[in-house]
Amino acid sequence: MEEIVVNLHAHTVYSDGWGDHEAIAQAALRAGLDVVGVTDHNVWVDGVDGYRYANGRRVLLVTGEEIHDPARQPQKNHLLVYEARRELAALAGDLPRLLEAVEQNGGLAVLAHPVDPGAPGRPETDLSWVEWDVPAFHGLEIWNFMTEFKSLLRSRWIAALFAFNPSWIARGPFAQALRRWDSLLATGRSVVALGGADAHAFPARLGLLRRTVFPYEFLFQTVNTHVLLDAPLVGNADIDRLRVFQAIRQGRCFVGYDLPAPTRGFQFQAQGDQGITRMGGRMPIGLGATLQISSPRPALLQLVRSGKVVRRWNATRAAVHVVSEPGAYRVEAFLPHRGAMRGWIFSNPIYLTA
């Protein structure tokens, strides 16, 4: 099993970012990413995808699109589209048609920051998803670093405090986002969870102080998605991107907050009458299944089903639990960091069927 680290939510000067594709690729290389995705607002940029190399490392840059209807007021429903390989923003005003076009073009539709409360006192900055009756999306961005930062902006001075101390920001996905995800899983749907930076590299000024707020390189070391492949990437961009997005579509990944400690090496699997399955997999529960969790370092671990904690372990690296009830089981891990207990790892589910 080969683990790679990807971040699939960044913006360039083609929309509201402040760097170009090359700047993002180089920042991703320095941050240690294997794949980085550019998702500019309502524009798909062709001809920039492919591998970049530096200092013995390589990173695969892929372009998608963050699509929303600019005519809708207030603004809602931002959709991340990957691998459609064509411009689809013209369909932004017709969400069912947009999702159908994503599917027809072999793309992957992920709801960007589905719970986005906006900045306190500024309701117009709430960009939450509201059209929950549409069935044809594949995943949720359960944790978005910049959305979490925006929710803390009660004043300019608090904004400056967090801008100069960004490691204080992240606590975990919003509880409402996790509840929404669990409610979808409880219906029997397979909904993949991703995490992203939503990187823009904004310039900022406070008095005489000037700096880039949350540079790309920093954000690519925070909330990432770790993808599990059957074999290493081969260096062919077309082959590798197909394998990466196939694994994501199947839920063979987890969300990791890599700033407090690297999340690489996390494992979650189920063993039952019919063998072993891992995150994203389905397996009949039979007479029961043994769920096995392995953490890269001691952490508070929680096994969750239908939004309820089935079992909790404190300060452990390995945990085992036998279950006999069908359902979508997932794992949460927490670490103390900067004076608070913070979300660290959020696995995709294992689906145990009746």
Side-chain angles (χ1 to χ4, degrees):
M1 189 68 66
E2 181 75 10
E3 180 179 340
I4 63 169
V5 185
V6 311
N7 201 299
L8 298 175
H9 196 162
H11 299 274
T12 73
V13 291
Y14 280 85
S15 59
D16 58 348
W18 290 80
D20 59 18
H21 291 81
E22 295 308 315
I24 284 178
Q26 293 304 314
L29 277 165
R30 294 191 298 271
L33 294 185
D34 298 292
V35 182
V36 64
V38 174
T39 52
D40 280 313
H41 292 280
N42 288 344
V43 58
W44 176 68
V45 182
D46 194 11
V48 296
D49 295 35
Y51 272 106
R52 272 59 168 186
Y53 301 85
N55 301 320
R57 292 200 73 259
R58 68 187 180 202
V59 67
L60 176 60
L61 184 142
V62 297
T63 54
E65 191 174 10
E66 184 174 349
I67 301 175
H68 63 97
D69 181 6
R72 190 193 193 286
Q73 295 299 328
Q75 269 295 299
K76 302 289 180 184
N77 300 338
H78 284 220
L79 184 73
L80 295 169
V81 175
Y82 305 105
E83 296 305 274
R85 306 300 243 348
R86 55 166 290 199
E87 177 65 70
L88 294 176
L91 300 175
D94 189 337
L95 191 54
R97 281 189 62 204
L98 171 59
L99 288 165
E100 182 181 3
V102 174
E103 190 70 30
Q104 289 174 346
N105 286 276
L108 189 75
V110 177
L111 311 192
H113 40 75
V115 175
D116 183 343
R122 295 186 60 191
E124 75 279 5
T125 63
D126 185 320
L127 301 177
S128 300
W129 190 273
V130 295
E131 301 291 340
W132 289 103
D133 56 341
V134 293
F137 61 87
H138 304 100
L140 299 177
E141 187 186 49
I142 63 165
W143 196 353
N144 178 301
F145 187 92
M146 290 307 298
T147 293
E148 190 172 1
F149 168 66
K150 186 174 66 171
S151 72
L152 302 172
L153 300 184
R154 294 178 175 84
S155 71
R156 291 184 62 198
W157 291 106
I158 290 178
L161 176 67
F162 284 115
F164 282 86
N165 299 276
S167 62
W168 294 356
I169 294 171
R171 295 292 184 99
F174 293 128
Q176 186 180 346
L178 293 178
R179 286 196 298 270
R180 176 66 71 172
W181 184 33
D182 284 326
S183 69
L184 291 168
L185 296 176
T187 68
R189 290 183 61 178
S190 297
V191 181
V192 180
L194 284 80
D198 203 353
H200 295 76
F202 293 120
R205 184 175 71 180
L206 183 65
L208 297 176
L209 297 176
R210 289 172 173 81
R211 64 175 295 169
T212 298
V213 180
F214 311 122
Y216 293 120
E217 182 178 350
F218 167 77
L219 287 175
F220 294 155
Q221 299 173 73
T222 59
V223 179
N224 294 307
T225 303
H226 291 239
V227 182
L228 305 180
L229 305 175
D230 294 330
L233 298 173
V234 298
N236 180 299
D238 289 332
I239 293 173
D240 287 344
R241 70 189 298 162
L242 180 66
R243 294 174 57 219
V244 169
F245 281 100
Q246 183 180 45
I248 291 173
R249 185 184 294 267
Q250 294 171 349
R252 290 189 287 159
C253 51
F254 64 88
V255 177
Y257 179 36
D258 290 305
L259 194 63
T263 61
R264 184 182 292 274
F266 170 79
Q267 296 181 37
F268 176 42
Q269 67 180 29
Q271 186 169 4
D273 300 338
Q274 298 191 18
I276 294 176
T277 192
R278 295 178 173 83
M279 285 176 285
R282 288 183 175 270
M283 186 174 70
I285 195 167
L287 297 177
T290 302
L291 301 179
Q292 302 167 337
I293 306 165
S294 178
S295 171
R297 62 182 298 174
L300 187 157
L301 302 178
Q302 294 187 160
L303 180 65
V304 179
R305 175 189 176 276
S306 299
K308 297 181 179 179
V309 176
V310 176
R311 187 165 174 189
R312 180 181 289 115
W313 299 266
N314 289 308
T316 186
R317 295 186 60 169
V320 177
H321 187 68
V322 178
V323 297
S324 57
E325 191 172 1
Y329 290 85
R330 61 181 185 84
V331 174
E332 300 175 348
F334 299 84
L335 279 182
H337 179 65
R338 299 285 184 176
M341 187 64 77
R342 301 179 188 270
W344 186 41
I345 295 170
F346 294 82
S347 82
N348 268 288
I350 293 174
Y351 302 90
L352 299 178
T353 60

